């Protein structure tokens, strides 16, 4: 009987809790402040959602693979500064250049983990924190610690605030990225390899799967996704500052955990992470609309992260 109750709790948590939380939070916010439904606020919500969502879906791959990446905050800041400088010089080609730069930076982080012999998230925690410090310093060095103003062009305006068939362009790009990564993780051998390495690295090696290749893939993808998120945010706000990525690593990990990806690796879903980002974004927007103090907002995020970790532990019972 006790085992059945645990199974029922686990099924509810896996299937309904996250979606229920999003619906309840949305309804409460609408009742408390009808301005939440204003077109301007909803569009702002979408464009706020997308940069964090790009970082989070990349982080999902890393955590499923049994690792963690704190460097994305510094990388986001560095990519934002670099993107503004590249865009001002190379125009639309800068989008491809910044994606390549993000991929290379992610690959460098992965190679450092491999060289250092990192085998799990505990090992990766401190190494990637070191990389965050490096990327933060580079963000400051690139323009002497000063902000860089983007020279807006039709291309950057279209990416930052444009629509296609009435749908924000940033949302279209994100949907494409989600579809590709979801297909990669659920239907392709490489996705199964990431799950196996995160769940049982010994078994993965016996099957001929090299964890080093999984690390390289997941960190490279995350680097590219982080760079794209930084580029799109830059196109929207028009200015890059060296500290723009602050707290992105916390919010991304929070969204991934809320989305049900196991911190111990081997289990997770890109689509569920999208729901996690939705909850985090709606919560932040709702707290701002309701006039909640910024420090209290951080308290709520901390409480939710603790609950997400508790729920993760309940799934394993």
């Amino acid at each position: 009987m006790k085992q059945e109750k645990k199974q029922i709790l686990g099924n509810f948590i896996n299937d309904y809790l996250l979606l229920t939380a999003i619906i309840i939070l949305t309804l409460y916010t609408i009742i408390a402040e009808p301005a939440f439904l204003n077109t301007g606020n909803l569009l702002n919500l979408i464009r706020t959602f997308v940069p964090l969502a790009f970082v989070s879906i990349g982080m999902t791959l890393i955590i499923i693979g049994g690792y963690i990446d704190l460097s994305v905050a510094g990388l986001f800041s560095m990519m934002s500064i670099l993107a503004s400088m590249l865009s001002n010089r190379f125009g639309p080609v800068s989008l491809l250049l910044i994606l390549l730069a993000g991929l290379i930076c992610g690959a460098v982080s992965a190679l450092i983990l491999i060289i250092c012999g990192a085998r799990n998230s505990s090992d990766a925690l401190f190494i990637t924190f070191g990389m965050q410090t490096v990327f933060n310093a580079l963000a400051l060095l690139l323009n002497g610690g000063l902000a860089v103003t983007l020279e807006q062009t039709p291309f950057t305006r279209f990416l930052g605030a444009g629509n296609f068939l009435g749908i924000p362009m940033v949302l279209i790009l994100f949907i494409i990225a989600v579809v590709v990564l979801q297909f990669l993780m659920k239907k392709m051998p490489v996705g199964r390899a990431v799950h196996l390495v995160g769940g049982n690295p010994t078994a993965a090696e016996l099957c001929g799967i090299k964890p080093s290749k999984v690390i390289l893939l997941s960190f490279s993808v995350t680097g590219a996704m982080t760079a794209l998120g930084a580029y799109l945010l830059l196109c929207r706000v028009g200015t890059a500052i060296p500290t723009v990525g602050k707290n992105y690593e916390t919010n991304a990990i929070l969204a991934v955990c809320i989305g049900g990806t196991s911190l111990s690796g081997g289990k997770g879903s890109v689509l569920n992470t999208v729901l996690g980002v939705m909850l985090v974004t709606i919560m932040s927007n709702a707290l701002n609309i309701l006039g909640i103090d910024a420090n209290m907002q951080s308290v709520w995020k901390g409480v939710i992260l603790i609950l997400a970790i508790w729920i993760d532990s309940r799934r394993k019972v």
Side-chain angles (χ1 to χ4, degrees):
M1 188 69 179
K2 187 177 180 181
Q3 188 63 33
E4 289 180 1
K5 288 182 179 179
K6 289 179 180 179
Q7 186 64 40
I8 292 172
L9 175 61
N11 290 338
F12 175 78
I13 288 171
N14 287 329
D15 298 335
Y16 303 111
L17 185 59
L18 182 55
L19 191 57
T20 301
I22 292 173
I23 293 171
I24 291 173
L25 178 60
T26 302
L27 291 175
Y28 174 80
T29 307
I30 292 171
I31 294 170
E33 182 51 76
F36 179 81
L37 288 178
N38 288 348
T39 302
N41 183 64
L42 293 178
L43 287 174
N44 179 64
L45 193 65
I46 291 172
R47 294 189 172 103
T48 302
F49 161 85
V50 168
L52 174 61
F54 271 113
V55 178
S56 299
I57 60 176
M59 184 73 76
T60 304
L61 271 65
I62 290 176
I63 294 180
I64 290 175
Y67 291 82
I68 200 163
D69 185 9
L70 299 183
S71 71
V72 292
L75 182 59
F76 194 97
S77 296
M78 189 180 86
M79 289 297 105
S80 182
I81 296 291
L82 184 61
S84 61
M85 298 171 75
L86 290 174
S87 181
N88 290 344
R89 184 170 182 181
F90 297 106
V93 178
S94 61
L95 176 57
L96 296 176
L97 295 176
I98 202 66
L99 282 171
L100 179 61
L103 188 147
I104 291 172
C105 288
V108 168
S109 294
L111 290 173
I112 291 173
L113 287 173
I114 294 167
I115 292 170
C116 293
R119 302 292 293 179
N120 51 47
S121 59
S122 298
D123 296 335
L125 188 69
F126 297 102
I127 295 172
T128 57
F129 179 75
M131 289 305 299
Q132 179 188 141
T133 304
V134 171
F135 290 140
N136 276 328
L138 290 173
L140 292 166
L141 290 171
L142 279 172
N143 198 46
L146 301 176
V148 181
T149 300
L150 176 69
E151 296 174 5
Q152 289 283 8
T153 65
F155 179 74
T156 57
R157 291 191 194 97
F158 180 60
L159 286 183
N163 301 311
F164 181 74
L165 299 177
I167 304 173
M169 193 61 200
V170 292
L171 185 59
I172 292 173
L173 291 174
F174 176 66
I175 291 172
I176 292 171
V178 169
V179 170
V180 171
L181 287 183
Q182 180 70 8
F183 179 79
L184 181 76
M185 293 299 289
K186 294 299 183 182
K187 302 297 183 180
M188 299 296 289
V190 66
R192 291 190 286 272
V194 174
H195 281 86
L196 185 56
V197 167
N200 193 332
T202 302
E205 291 192 62
L206 291 174
C207 293
I209 299 171
K210 293 184 178 180
S212 59
K213 290 185 177 180
V214 169
I215 298 172
L216 187 61
L217 170 71
S218 57
F219 275 79
S220 297
V221 170
T222 302
M225 292 295 99
T226 300
L228 182 55
Y231 191 94
L232 293 175
L233 178 63
L234 172 68
C235 290
R236 180 169 70 89
V237 301
T239 303
I241 58 175
T243 57
V244 67
K246 184 180 179 181
N247 295 329
Y248 261 78
E249 81 288 14
T250 305
N251 289 332
I253 293 170
L254 174 61
V256 174
C257 290
I258 290 174
T261 296
S262 175
L263 285 173
S264 59
K267 184 180 179 182
S269 166
V270 172
L271 288 179
N272 283 345
T273 292
V274 174
L275 292 176
V277 181
M278 285 178 61
L279 182 60
V280 172
T281 305
I282 292 171
M283 178 185 67
S284 297
N285 185 261
L287 292 174
N288 285 329
I289 288 177
L290 295 173
I292 304 300
D293 181 75
N295 293 322
M296 183 56 65
Q297 293 185 31
S298 297
V299 171
W300 278 110
K301 286 181 180 180
V303 170
I304 291 174
L305 180 57
I306 293 169
L307 286 173
I309 294 172
W310 176 80
I311 290 171
D312 182 43
S313 68
R314 290 299 88 199
R315 290 192 184 98
K316 301 169 190 173
V317 175

